[in-house]
Amino acid sequence: SSLGFSFVLPGTPLHPDNSLVPKATSALGDPKASRMSTSRCVALLVAILHLVRALPANISEAPPSGLRGAVGVAGGARPVLRQQSNGDSCSTGGPGVPEDFARFANTSITIKAPASTIWSFLIDMEHWAKWNDVFSVRIEGAPELELGKHFMISSYFATAPWGLRRTTLRFNLTAMEQDTRLCWEALGVPGLSARHCYAFCNVEGGTLLYNYEDHSGLLEDIVRRTMGQATTDGFARFNYFLRNQSESAAMTKFAGPDSPH
């Protein structure tokens, strides 16, 4: 989700465990290389600060556009959600925000299909790329999901600032309650804790699905201002594709093999 944001400069080497920490190099003994590395970091921070200054104080003030309105994401200004109750995800207002976290991206969509059908598409992560253009997943080890499973999500957020539209991040599966809740947390992002969840609620005629992400840490505010709306747009677009897949599957199952075409 978040699913997903990382400060990764082009050409930055990764550790074998895919964490976003540069490998130790001879730069420590090479003053010129060290100065170049420092200059790149400073240039990145300056670019981000310029982006933040150009954004509204509450990035969600941007008017709805594209698929955002089609998938149940409310437009208009809204406050940043912080430290709300963690009670029932299907109670009024939807999933609460854990203590010390803030809601980074918040979307929902009503799908005319049972939760079990939607769940089957979500947990089949390695095949996401076949039916959506926002996320693709590579699972480490066996493809079956279980608590503690690690996987990489590559994201494409079309409305993000140029250079931040494509991100790849490693995640750890932290919650897996069948047809109810699915969550994972980002690994290896300095200064940021990120938790992406799907919550399922039974409603008349189908399922209300919440797709959201919460952040905490030193970089929470700057990341939200820079990538919050773009990530929300990406989640909304993914919801649209997921709805199409789930409703098509539900209709096929309901019609049965002997139904006329």
Side-chain angles (χ1 to χ4, degrees), residues 31-258:
K32 182 178 179 181
S34 180
R35 286 195 299 271
M36 290 176 62
S37 177
T38 301
S39 297
R40 292 175 69 194
C41 291
V42 170
L44 177 62
L45 289 175
V46 170
I48 291 174
L49 287 173
H50 278 295
L51 283 170
V52 171
R53 288 173 182 173
L55 293 171
N58 185 345
I59 195 157
S60 65
E61 292 174 3
S65 61
L67 292 173
R68 213 180 311 159
V71 293
V73 180
R78 67 177 185 272
V80 178
L81 302 179
R82 297 179 185 273
Q83 297 186 11
Q84 292 188 347
S85 169
N86 273 322
D88 182 8
S89 294
C90 298
S91 61
T92 302
V97 182
E99 187 176 355
D100 297 327
F101 278 76
R103 185 62 37 94
F104 168 66
N106 196 22
T107 70
S108 64
I109 187 170
T110 299
I111 301 176
K112 295 177 181 178
S116 58
T117 299
I118 304 166
W119 177 268
S120 67
F121 283 109
L122 280 178
I123 64 171
D124 188 18
M125 302 177 78
E126 288 199 320
H127 291 129
W128 281 7
K130 292 184 177 180
W131 49 264
N132 94 101
D133 59 10
V134 182
F135 299 122
S136 62
V137 181
R138 179 174 62 81
I139 298 177
E140 299 178 11
E144 293 78 17
L145 288 186
E146 59 184 5
L147 292 180
K149 173 70 75 173
H150 289 179
F151 48 91
M152 304 287 293
I153 296 182
S154 295
S155 309
Y156 175 64
F157 298 129
T159 60
W162 188 88
L164 299 176
R165 293 178 183 174
R166 296 188 182 276
T167 64
T168 298
L169 202 59
R170 191 170 184 240
F171 292 90
N172 172 46
L173 189 67
T174 56
M176 190 175 181
E177 304 168 24
Q178 186 170 348
D179 302 344
T180 303
R181 187 166 172 262
L182 188 67
C183 298
W184 47 80
E185 295 182 356
L187 299 173
V189 183
L192 189 71
S193 296
R195 180 179 303 161
H196 187 173
C197 289
Y198 294 86
F200 299 71
C201 302
N202 292 323
V203 296
E204 184 177 357
T207 304
L208 173 60
L209 181 72
Y210 291 98
N211 177 6
Y212 61 97
E213 184 165 317
D214 297 327
H215 283 183
S216 179
L218 181 64
L219 298 178
E220 176 266 314
D221 185 64
I222 193 171
V223 171
R224 177 178 54 81
R225 288 170 175 259
T226 305
M227 288 292 292
Q229 189 62 60
T231 304
T232 299
D233 293 344
F235 285 10
R237 185 171 177 84
F238 180 81
N239 294 348
Y240 170 83
F241 286 113
L242 179 60
R243 180 178 67 183
N244 286 350
Q245 285 291 113
S246 301
E247 291 184 351
S248 294
M251 289 179 63
T252 300
K253 183 177 181 181
F254 177 78
D258 299 326

